[in-house]
Amino acid sequence: MANIYPFAGAALQSDNTCKFSVWAPFRQQVALSVIQPEPQIYPMQRDDKGYWHTTIEGLSAGVRYKYILDEATTLPDPASRYQPEGVHGPSEVINPDFEWTDNSWAGLELRDLIIYELHTGTFSQTHDFQGIIDKLGYLRSLGITAIELMPVGQFPGDRNWGYDGVYPFAVQNSYGGVNGLKALVNAAHQHGIAVILDVVYNHLGPEGNYFAQYGPWFTDKYKTPWGPALNFDDAWCDAVRAYYIQNALMWLDEFHIDGLRMDAVHAIWDCGAHHFTAELSALVDALQASSGKKKFLIAEIDLNSPKYITPREKGGYGMHGQWIDEFHHALHSLLTGEVNGYYADFGGLGPMAKSYQDSYVFTGEYSGVRKRHFGVAPLRNDYHQFVVFAQNHDQIGNRMLGDRLTTQLSFEAQKLAAAVVLLSPHIPLLFMGEEYGETRPFQFFTSHSDKDLIAAVTNGRREEFASFAWEGEVPDPQSVETFNNSTLSWHTRTDNAAALMELYRFLIAFRRTRQAMLNTSREGVKVQIPQVEEQLLLVERSGNDDHLLLLFNFSDHAVTYQYTGSGELLKKFDSAAAIWHGPGSTTPDQATTSE
Amino acid sequence: MANIYPFAGAALQSDNTCKFSVWAPFRQQVALSVIQPEPQIYPMQRDDKGYWHTTIEGLSAGVRYKYILDEATTLPDPASRYQPEGVHGPSEVINPDFEWTDNSWAGLELRDLIIYELHTGTFSQTHDFQGIIDKLGYLRSLGITAIELMPVGQFPGDRNWGYDGVYPFAVQNSYGGVNGLKALVNAAHQHGIAVILDVVYNHLGPEGNYFAQYGPWFTDKYKTPWGPALNFDDAWCDAVRAYYIQNALMWLDEFHIDGLRMDAVHAIWDCGAHHFTAELSALVDALQASSGKKKFLIAEIDLNSPKYITPREKGGYGMHGQWIDEFHHALHSLLTGEVNGYYADFGGLGPMAKSYQDSYVFTGEYSGVRKRHFGVAPLRNDYHQFVVFAQNHDQIGNRMLGDRLTTQLSFEAQKLAAAVVLLSPHIPLLFMGEEYGETRPFQFFTSHSDKDLIAAVTNGRREEFASFAWEGEVPDPQSVETFNNSTLSWHTRTDNAAALMELYRFLIAFRRTRQAMLNTSREGVKVQIPQVEEQLLLVERSGNDDHLLLLFNFSDHAVTYQYTGSGELLKKFDSAAAIWHGPGSTTPDQATTSE
């Protein structure tokens, strides 16, 4: 394996030297230009795979450098570990040492995840990792077991969702850099909270993207919405694959990250014999075995293809979990009545019931939006391989106004949405602020410096919303106002907010203690629509002699349901109860049904 | 399934009507224009998937027709069953009835195939199916169990390898059309010979290709060497998939074809959840089950990815076999010493030994030609899933002069090549004429009518050979001379030809009767290179208590080999023997080795 994964980047060695390596196979000459503390240029030597190397004595952490390509072009390191002056500035050699105190942390199983997705920049008023550390106790008290950080690779400026990152190995300087992230992971583990990191291996951002000048990072075999595809299967792809594999392993090993959420895995184009995700999952499994700490990969993917999360020995790619946008679309469309844009494939109880039962909504049926038959049923994959949500950064932020369900739904319906997600056999994911009913939007924001790019992003944003026919003005992504508007208010002191937080806390605890809830096998869930016109969804869950009857009332009025099974029914939860700031429960506390 | 596979084409019905259906989802109006016998135009009705339909009374076989798109463009039927006037002319309604007499034929298992690849146009002086029928007795006497026809879909003019076809449902008119092919299949089955048809599902030819005017047949998601990729996974792909699925089933069912050789399967771009080849293989298996006749799919593929030929229940795509070009390249390079172009990855005994043992040469190693690590070992796939050859249409015809091994190698080396292939545990394939040492070339020929295209093909051909640095003038593909030069001479009456044919006959019979030869499991083969400097390859094969020691001497002189095993050795075959027109065998007939 060693020769498949050559090192790239700058790394201090134990013998007081610093090793530099950069891949530039078509360049005739590459040199290291140390800029600070003392400017000096060092020649580099090329190996037979196109990597250029040099090892320098007497350099220490904090050294800033760039590479000079063919004596003409001076650029930062694509594998830079730190960009103290942003995406266009020099790279910095870092000290990877950190005083870890999480040795007793062994990680979490997928089935135990209650994920809280957050954006570091807008989570707190300090806009950094420390702002998250300050809230870990709060999150733990809610029952959250994992935080999921939107991408932290260095991006242009200091306001960005993270998907415009161009230095996947460098932790965003404005967030707190390498040690800021390590401190967060360490603190989270001490709170019993796992950390999932969102990583982007399907494209690189548009600004500060110097990769093409280094070598064949891209291929024109495939087309992506973000430009040429990264080269995962064409000539010279080994170095690209090695780069991303090392990136994944850096987070999971050096940073003690528990799992990766891999962005848009369907856009990692690899039609070769050994799919990149399968190669990576084997190495992640090996790291788990050697470290004794649970590690996992969760795919964001738009293919309804269980292959990605099927074990390698069964012919799959061996990733461990995946997001299901369709669950969201079914729920959102049902709750809001929206059937525009891609919601046209959803609406009504049917898709909601389908996703609750089969995870995917489309398992081979014709999709009017996609204009093709779509998907394969994931019936051999347990429910805990699937992540569901009523909201996430995309589903809120890719709305024109970035508006949340709080501004679209009644309080009763918000509680319904929470219960649908948290009582689902799938893994629940909350989006920051959802638990107290944040009403501020989460909008799309950037802080690019390239004017043409800024205009293109703004126009692209407008075009994107054409099919939704939403009304109003598209917020300016580049404006600092948009960023500030999207920062959490932390207005948690209203009665509704308090009740909502209590409800989340209750449902999470319920989910984590009831045997019927802990059963995530396909046999433990039975979904029905007993009365279509009443908008009632019935879910029976069972496990270990525990049985639960879940009734989700999606109508705007009280509904009578006559249970036809046998035995004694005990009411455990009613979101309409006064305790949850509702109109009052009309369900009897107890009922004995006849045989 | 029914709505995934809507009918396209023209089909006579039992009630004396003819049903027409054509897919043109973006057209506002489509009409049927009957041209013969009586010109008449009929309106068509669109269904919700974009197919246009009409059913006309009183039409019979022989009716010629086109479709009129939006009252402006009149074109042949993409699903035409016959193009009597060539690719630009009208389509013709055919009578599918045929007096089959092959009811007792049940097909052959892959392990029993001895394949003979032929090109209908250049196999005989009549350039048609009848010319093949006339030679079936001869082929059977050689021991051939399957003929493989290069593509027969209607192509421009009457001289073409077949990969420029543009009517995949229409049998080339100059070859004998529908009934000519059925007569060939029927006769082959009566001779105990299976028929494999080469089909092209990865692209359509450049001339007479009107598909884009009908609808979204192509996608710009992927790039192919032949232009835009056919749409197997983008919006509207259902109709494209249905078209090719029906095409495959038409050959296997209506034409009684035994198996398909699918051209360049790696260029069937489908990144969806349900790969086209897996969807097709399930239907082919179902046809085999319902018909009681063995049917199979063999992929030409350049991925070294066992996934394609792994059963669907093990996560594969369920195709049944595949070609191995790498076996050829290893053998060719070893025999000829050529290491230019893509042969640079081969040469010497190592790759030959690797392919003999592991089928693929590259099973994860770095390829200097591909500039990447390449391939996965197919260790769970039996040898009889792989087709090997010393020559085929591509490996001969894609040489600048289309020259065969007969003009490159000594007679002794030709016999060696034959033995390497026929004694291999893989399925052997011969290219027409190889068995008698045909010295005529098999060159690339076309009979396009588009002048720009003719120039482009000629220039493309020249560029293609740049990296090989072959000397001489590239033959003109468009010249009828090139076609005639490539037609078999059938000069079988020389002493060498007779000896060679006898040798093929002997080795085929030996292969089909020895237990060690019949064992195609991975356990039955052990390959060694006992003496590198002597260019000796040693293969031990065993099965059912039968043991064979194969010694392939790739040097230009006699080599002494000291067997170190125990037991009695009996000589069964020596290609140097006088009976094979060789210099005489120097191997003892019998030897007892000490323990």
Side-chain angles (χ1 to χ4, degrees):
Chain A
M1 304 280 263
N3 64 341
I4 299 195
Y5 306 112
F7 168 77
L12 292 173
Q13 306 295 294
S14 54
D15 63 355
N16 198 31
T17 62
C18 187
K19 184 171 77 169
F20 293 85
S21 176
V22 63
W23 182 63
F26 302 157
R27 292 292 182 175
Q28 299 305 306
Q29 203 178 84
V30 178
L32 168 69
S33 170
V34 168
I35 296 160
Q36 262 182 239
E38 287 299 316
Q40 178 134 12
I41 290 170
Y42 302 91
M44 301 182 81
Q45 286 73 48
R46 185 189 190 283
D47 69 19
D48 61 351
K49 295 291 183 288
Y51 289 84
W52 296 78
H53 305 273
T54 190
T55 299
I56 312 292
E57 287 187 15
L59 297 183
S60 53
V63 162
R64 296 192 184 177
Y65 69 98
K66 287 189 172 185
Y67 291 118
I68 307 173
L69 308 180
D70 288 336
E71 301 184 324
T73 312
T74 304
L75 297 172
D77 183 357
S80 167
R81 293 296 307 275
Y82 194 45
Q83 290 292 119
E85 301 169 32
V87 299
H88 304 291
S91 305
E92 184 171 308
V93 175
I94 64 123
N95 179 354
D97 297 338
F98 182 82
E99 292 293 323
W100 291 99
T101 57
D102 68 343
N103 282 348
S104 62
W105 174 256
L108 290 180
E109 297 294 325
L110 282 176
R111 60 176 67 246
D112 292 325
L113 297 178
I114 311 286
I115 305 174
Y116 187 92
E117 187 191 28
L118 62 83
H119 176 263
T120 303
T122 53
F123 180 72
S124 74
Q125 286 299 332
T126 54
H127 311 297
D128 59 8
F129 297 125
Q130 185 58 49
I132 305 170
I133 293 173
D134 296 342
K135 289 284 188 188
L136 288 171
Y138 160 78
L139 294 172
R140 182 66 207 181
S141 76
L142 271 179
I144 297 301
T145 63
I147 53 172
E148 176 166 319
L149 308 177
M150 288 173 65
V152 302
Q154 185 74 34
F155 49 75
D158 52 12
R159 304 184 308 275
N160 196 286
W161 281 15
Y163 303 99
D164 293 319
V166 281
Y167 294 89
F169 285 82
V171 180
Q172 174 70 10
N173 59 343
S174 63
Y175 285 176
V178 172
N179 285 335
L181 179 56
K182 288 178 179 175
L184 170 58
V185 176
N186 196 49
H189 287 171
Q190 286 177 318
H191 281 85
I193 292 177
V195 181
I196 302 170
L197 181 65
D198 192 343
V199 292
V200 186
Y201 295 167
N202 53 60
H203 74 285
L204 288 154
E207 181 172 339
N209 178 346
Y210 301 113
F211 284 73
Q213 299 195 55
Y214 277 97
W217 281 86
F218 303 97
T219 173
D220 59 0
K221 281 173 74 175
Y222 311 109
K223 206 181 79 171
T224 84
W226 314 286
L230 278 160
N231 176 12
F232 282 95
D233 71 0
D234 209 348
W236 298 99
C237 68
D238 287 354
V240 179
R241 296 168 72 103
Y243 176 89
Y244 284 108
I245 279 172
Q246 285 177 338
N247 185 265
L249 296 177
M250 176 187 78
W251 300 122
L252 297 175
D253 191 7
E254 181 186 323
F255 283 82
H256 293 204
I257 296 276
D258 297 275
L260 302 177
R261 179 266 194 192
M262 288 174 59
D263 184 65
V265 168
H266 51 270
I268 297 175
W269 295 103
D270 180 6
C271 290
H274 196 186
H275 196 274
F276 171 75
T277 58
E279 185 170 358
L280 177 57
S281 74
L283 293 164
V284 171
D285 290 349
L287 175 62
Q288 173 175 297
S290 65
S291 68
K293 298 184 191 298
K294 178 74 187 171
K295 304 287 181 185
F296 51 83
L297 299 174
I298 296 178
E300 183 207 23
I301 186 160
D302 185 36
L303 289 176
N304 289 16
S305 174
K307 168 171 70 180
Y308 284 78
I309 55 168
T310 295
R312 293 183 301 283
E313 61 273 20
K314 293 183 181 171
Y317 297 160
M319 296 185 75
H320 308 93
Q322 70 156 106
W323 281 26
I324 327 177
D325 282 0
E326 289 187 341
F327 184 99
H328 167 271
H329 299 342
L331 177 58
H332 182 92
S333 190
L334 177 58
L335 288 168
T336 64
E338 291 180 13
V339 288
N340 47 5
Y342 51 70
Y343 292 130
D345 268 347
F346 303 91
L349 270 182
M352 187 74 257
K354 180 76 185 300
S355 191
Y356 229 85
Q357 184 73 68
D358 290 344
S359 306
Y360 303 153
V361 172
F362 286 91
T363 57
E365 296 83 0
Y366 186 82
S367 155
V369 169
R370 297 176 191 272
K371 304 287 182 204
R372 59 162 300 188
H373 285 76
F374 185 68
V376 165
L379 300 181
R380 296 184 191 175
N381 300 88
D382 283 344
Y383 289 109
H384 66 256
Q385 290 196 279
F386 300 89
V387 178
V388 299
F389 33 81
Q391 305 185 74
N392 70 26
H393 75 274
D394 259 334
Q395 303 307 338
I396 300 170
N398 286 333
R399 298 176 68 79
M400 192 177 76
L401 299 175
D403 50 319
R404 294 167 177 258
L405 286 180
T406 41
T407 63
Q408 301 154 22
L409 298 182
S410 68
F411 185 62
E412 291 306 304
Q414 291 172 49
K415 291 187 288 184
L416 173 60
V420 167
V421 169
L422 290 169
L423 300 178
S424 154
H426 304 94
I427 301 173
L429 176 142
L430 320 181
F431 184 66
M432 61 177 195
E434 164 185 336
E435 76 282 8
Y436 65 79
E438 174 65 65
T439 54
R440 287 197 183 175
F442 183 71
Q443 296 173 335
F444 185 72
F445 44 79
T446 54
S447 48
H448 289 305
S449 59
D450 179 318
K451 283 185 184 171
D452 292 343
L453 176 61
I454 292 168
V457 168
T458 304
N459 290 333
R461 202 78 191 153
R462 289 197 185 113
E463 284 169 22
E464 192 179 333
F465 297 120
S467 77
F468 281 89
W470 277 317
E471 288 183 10
E473 187 65 23
V474 181
D476 178 7
Q478 190 70 10
S479 157
V480 70
E481 280 284 279
T482 302
F483 177 79
N484 288 336
N485 288 344
S486 301
T487 301
L488 291 187
S489 69
W490 290 105
H491 288 155
T492 56
R493 304 208 174 177
T494 68
D495 288 351
N496 273 357
L500 200 57
M501 283 191 288
E502 274 311 307
L503 179 132
Y504 273 86
R505 202 187 320 264
F506 172 85
L507 290 175
I508 290 170
F510 187 78
R511 173 187 178 89
R512 289 176 53 75
T513 47
R514 287 297 295 242
Q515 290 297 314
M517 283 285 151
L518 296 172
N519 181 10
T520 59
S521 71
R522 292 275 156 197
E523 291 70 39
V525 178
K526 192 175 155 199
V527 180
Q528 294 174 65
I529 303 176
Q531 293 156 233
V532 170
E533 66 287 358
E534 293 290 17
Q535 295 277 79
L536 193 67
L537 187 73
L538 171 68
V539 179
E540 291 178 85
R541 295 194 58 183
S542 57
N544 246 347
D545 282 333
D546 185 28
H547 301 280
L548 291 170
L549 188 66
L550 314 178
L551 285 164
F552 299 111
N553 176 2
F554 287 95
S555 77
D556 56 3
H557 55 272
V559 166
T560 302
Y561 169 69
Q562 183 65 49
Y563 182 62
T564 55
S566 65
E568 192 179 20
L569 293 174
L570 296 175
K571 182 168 71 176
K572 290 292 174 184
F573 172 76
D574 184 341
S575 63
I579 182 179
W580 314 122
H581 222 229
S585 177
T586 55
T587 321
D589 288 345
Q590 188 167 346
T592 306
T593 61
S594 57
E595 295 273 335
Chain B
M1 303 277 266
N3 64 342
I4 300 195
Y5 306 110
F7 167 77
L12 292 173
Q13 306 295 296
S14 55
D15 63 355
N16 199 30
T17 63
C18 187
K19 185 171 77 170
F20 293 85
S21 177
V22 63
W23 182 64
F26 301 158
R27 291 293 182 173
Q28 300 305 305
Q29 203 178 84
V30 178
L32 168 69
S33 170
V34 168
I35 295 161
Q36 262 181 239
E38 288 299 319
Q40 178 133 12
I41 291 171
Y42 302 92
M44 301 181 82
Q45 287 73 46
R46 184 189 191 284
D47 68 20
D48 61 351
K49 295 291 183 287
Y51 288 83
W52 296 78
H53 305 273
T54 190
T55 300
I56 311 293
E57 288 187 16
L59 296 183
S60 53
V63 162
R64 296 192 183 175
Y65 68 100
K66 286 190 173 185
Y67 290 119
I68 306 173
L69 307 180
D70 287 337
E71 300 184 324
T73 312
T74 304
L75 297 172
D77 183 356
S80 167
R81 295 296 306 276
Y82 194 45
Q83 290 293 117
E85 301 169 33
V87 299
H88 304 290
S91 305
E92 183 171 309
V93 175
I94 64 123
N95 179 354
D97 296 338
F98 182 81
E99 292 292 324
W100 291 100
T101 57
D102 68 343
N103 283 348
S104 62
W105 173 255
L108 290 180
E109 296 294 326
L110 282 175
R111 61 176 67 246
D112 292 325
L113 297 179
I114 310 287
I115 304 174
Y116 188 92
E117 187 192 27
L118 62 84
H119 176 264
T120 303
T122 54
F123 180 72
S124 73
Q125 286 299 331
T126 54
H127 311 297
D128 59 9
F129 297 126
Q130 185 58 49
I132 306 169
I133 293 175
D134 295 342
K135 288 284 189 187
L136 288 171
Y138 160 79
L139 294 172
R140 183 65 207 182
S141 75
L142 270 179
I144 298 301
T145 63
I147 53 173
E148 177 167 318
L149 308 178
M150 287 173 66
V152 302
Q154 186 73 35
F155 50 74
D158 52 11
R159 304 184 310 275
N160 196 286
W161 282 14
Y163 304 98
D164 293 320
V166 281
Y167 294 89
F169 285 83
V171 181
Q172 172 70 12
N173 60 344
S174 62
Y175 286 175
V178 171
N179 286 335
L181 178 56
K182 287 178 178 173
L184 169 59
V185 176
N186 197 50
H189 288 170
Q190 287 177 317
H191 281 85
I193 292 177
V195 180
I196 302 170
L197 181 64
D198 192 344
V199 292
V200 186
Y201 294 168
N202 53 60
H203 75 285
L204 287 154
E207 181 173 339
N209 178 346
Y210 301 112
F211 284 74
Q213 299 195 56
Y214 277 96
W217 280 86
F218 303 97
T219 173
D220 59 2
K221 282 173 74 176
Y222 311 109
K223 206 181 80 171
T224 84
W226 315 285
L230 278 160
N231 176 12
F232 281 96
D233 70 1
D234 209 349
W236 299 100
C237 68
D238 288 353
V240 179
R241 295 168 73 102
Y243 177 89
Y244 284 109
I245 280 171
Q246 286 177 337
N247 184 264
L249 297 177
M250 176 186 78
W251 299 123
L252 297 175
D253 191 6
E254 181 186 323
F255 282 82
H256 293 204
I257 297 276
D258 297 274
L260 302 177
R261 179 267 193 193
M262 288 173 59
D263 186 63
V265 167
H266 51 271
I268 297 175
W269 294 103
D270 179 5
C271 291
H274 197 186
H275 196 274
F276 171 76
T277 58
E279 184 170 359
L280 177 58
S281 75
L283 293 164
V284 170
D285 291 349
L287 175 62
Q288 173 174 298
S290 65
S291 68
K293 299 185 190 298
K294 179 74 185 171
K295 303 287 180 184
F296 52 82
L297 298 174
I298 296 178
E300 183 207 24
I301 187 161
D302 185 37
L303 290 176
N304 288 17
S305 175
K307 169 171 68 180
Y308 284 77
I309 55 167
T310 296
R312 292 181 303 280
E313 62 272 18
K314 293 184 181 170
Y317 297 160
M319 297 186 72
H320 307 93
Q322 69 155 109
W323 280 27
I324 326 175
D325 280 1
E326 289 187 343
F327 184 101
H328 168 270
H329 299 342
L331 177 58
H332 182 92
S333 191
L334 178 57
L335 288 168
T336 64
E338 290 179 14
V339 288
N340 48 4
Y342 51 71
Y343 292 131
D345 267 348
F346 303 90
L349 269 182
M352 186 74 255
K354 181 74 184 303
S355 192
Y356 230 83
Q357 184 76 67
D358 291 344
S359 305
Y360 303 152
V361 172
F362 286 90
T363 57
E365 296 83 359
Y366 186 81
S367 155
V369 169
R370 298 177 190 270
K371 303 288 181 204
R372 60 162 300 187
H373 286 76
F374 185 69
V376 164
L379 300 182
R380 296 184 191 174
N381 300 88
D382 283 344
Y383 289 109
H384 65 255
Q385 291 196 278
F386 300 88
V387 177
V388 299
F389 32 81
Q391 305 185 73
N392 70 26
H393 75 274
D394 260 332
Q395 303 306 338
I396 299 170
N398 286 333
R399 298 176 68 79
M400 191 176 78
L401 299 175
D403 50 320
R404 293 167 176 257
L405 286 179
T406 41
T407 63
Q408 302 153 22
L409 298 181
S410 68
F411 185 63
E412 291 306 304
Q414 291 173 47
K415 290 186 289 182
L416 173 60
V420 166
V421 169
L422 289 169
L423 300 178
S424 155
H426 305 94
I427 301 173
L429 176 144
L430 319 181
F431 184 66
M432 61 178 194
E434 166 186 335
E435 76 281 7
Y436 65 79
E438 174 65 67
T439 55
R440 286 196 182 175
F442 183 71
Q443 296 173 335
F444 185 71
F445 44 79
T446 54
S447 48
H448 289 305
S449 58
D450 178 318
K451 282 186 183 171
D452 291 343
L453 177 62
I454 292 168
V457 168
T458 304
N459 290 334
R461 202 78 192 152
R462 288 196 186 113
E463 283 169 23
E464 191 179 332
F465 297 120
S467 76
F468 281 88
W470 277 319
E471 288 183 11
E473 187 63 25
V474 181
D476 178 6
Q478 190 70 11
S479 157
V480 70
E481 280 283 279
T482 302
F483 177 79
N484 288 337
N485 288 344
S486 300
T487 301
L488 292 185
S489 70
W490 292 105
H491 289 154
T492 56
R493 305 208 171 179
T494 68
D495 288 351
N496 273 355
L500 200 57
M501 284 192 286
E502 272 311 308
L503 179 133
Y504 273 86
R505 200 186 321 266
F506 172 85
L507 290 174
I508 290 171
F510 187 78
R511 173 188 179 90
R512 289 177 53 75
T513 48
R514 287 297 295 242
Q515 290 297 314
M517 283 285 152
L518 296 173
N519 181 10
T520 59
S521 72
R522 292 274 156 197
E523 292 69 40
V525 177
K526 193 175 156 201
V527 179
Q528 294 176 67
I529 303 176
Q531 293 155 233
V532 169
E533 66 286 358
E534 294 289 18
Q535 295 276 79
L536 192 67
L537 187 73
L538 170 68
V539 179
E540 291 178 85
R541 295 194 58 183
S542 57
N544 245 346
D545 283 335
D546 184 28
H547 301 279
L548 291 169
L549 187 66
L550 314 178
L551 285 164
F552 299 112
N553 176 4
F554 287 94
S555 76
D556 56 3
H557 55 272
V559 166
T560 301
Y561 170 68
Q562 182 66 47
Y563 182 62
T564 56
S566 64
E568 191 179 21
L569 294 174
L570 295 175
K571 181 169 72 177
K572 290 293 173 184
F573 172 75
D574 184 340
S575 64
I579 182 179
W580 313 121
H581 221 230
S585 177
T586 55
T587 321
D589 288 346
Q590 189 168 346
T592 306
T593 61
S594 58
E595 295 273 334

